[in-house]
Amino acid sequence: RASPTAGSQAAEAKGDEESRAKVRTIISLLGENMPSDPTTPLGSQIDNIMGLRFVLLKSARTPHEEQLVDSILTLHDSYVEAGRSRPEITMMLARDWQFHSVQQPPPSHAPPPAVCQQPVSGLLAAQHHHQHQQLMGHAPLGLHSMNHAAPSHQPMVSAMS
């Protein structure tokens, strides 16, 4: 006779397999609807589609990423049950991914990013991303001061020398 622990482990393993199957379904859906024309509504979500697909493809995720993936799985199920088309589901999941990845803070054990430690190219990429979001009407609040010049890492030269 199996112990209660063995029964719960079997149920957990079954749940994990179901979850992995759902993840594979969403990966396939995102690949099937990967836009090639950036001017289409779905094309405007290419960064979110690729970001979501990347996290789903990872073999090891952070607890934060696991929470996001769990939310995406639940949302996917609700869109399927509502009878949404596969391209609609792709668009909605991309928007959900964007919303949840912007809204939820990074894990508390991660040190806050220091602007002076970022390479200038990283700052330019962040500025470009923010400008793209503004153009698309998706700029998060509180980032209006992103267009300042990148800090210089060169030593200051005194005007008196």
Side-chain angles (χ1 to χ4, degrees), residues 28-155:
S28 175
L29 170 79
L30 297 174
E32 167 188 321
N33 290 288
M34 187 69 67
S36 57
D37 182 357
T39 63
T40 65
L42 199 54
S44 70
Q45 293 294 322
I46 187 73
D47 290 342
N48 296 317
I49 293 169
M50 290 175 63
L52 173 55
R53 196 162 189 249
F54 173 75
V55 170
L56 292 172
L57 285 166
K58 286 175 71 174
S59 58
R61 298 183 198 105
T62 66
H64 175 71
E65 290 169 336
E66 282 296 337
Q67 288 177 338
L68 291 174
V69 169
D70 288 344
S71 295
I72 291 296
L73 295 178
T74 301
L75 290 164
H76 174 264
D77 288 347
S78 70
Y79 300 148
V80 169
E81 289 172 15
R84 297 289 190 155
S85 71
R86 293 176 67 81
E88 285 178 314
I89 293 171
T90 300
M91 174 66 90
M92 294 168 80
L93 290 177
R95 287 179 178 167
D96 292 333
W97 175 255
Q98 178 183 24
F99 176 80
H100 286 294
S101 59
V102 169
Q103 295 298 317
Q104 294 186 357
S108 60
H109 58 78
V115 173
C116 64
Q117 292 177 348
Q118 292 181 349
V120 172
S121 62
L123 286 171
L124 294 175
Q127 288 174 339
H128 174 74
H129 178 72
H130 177 68
Q131 288 169 351
H132 175 73
Q133 285 184 324
Q134 283 181 322
L135 290 172
M136 300 306 295
H138 301 297
L141 297 176
L143 294 178
H144 301 291
S145 62
M146 285 287 291
N147 285 331
H148 61 284
S152 172
H153 293 287
Q154 298 176 356

Side-chain angles (χ1 to χ4, degrees), residues 12-29:
E12 187 175 312
K14 182 180 178 191
D16 286 347
E17 183 51 41
E18 287 175 7
S19 179
R20 284 193 295 273
K22 287 180 182 181
V23 166
R24 286 191 300 269
T25 297
I26 295 173
I27 290 169
S28 175
L29 170 79

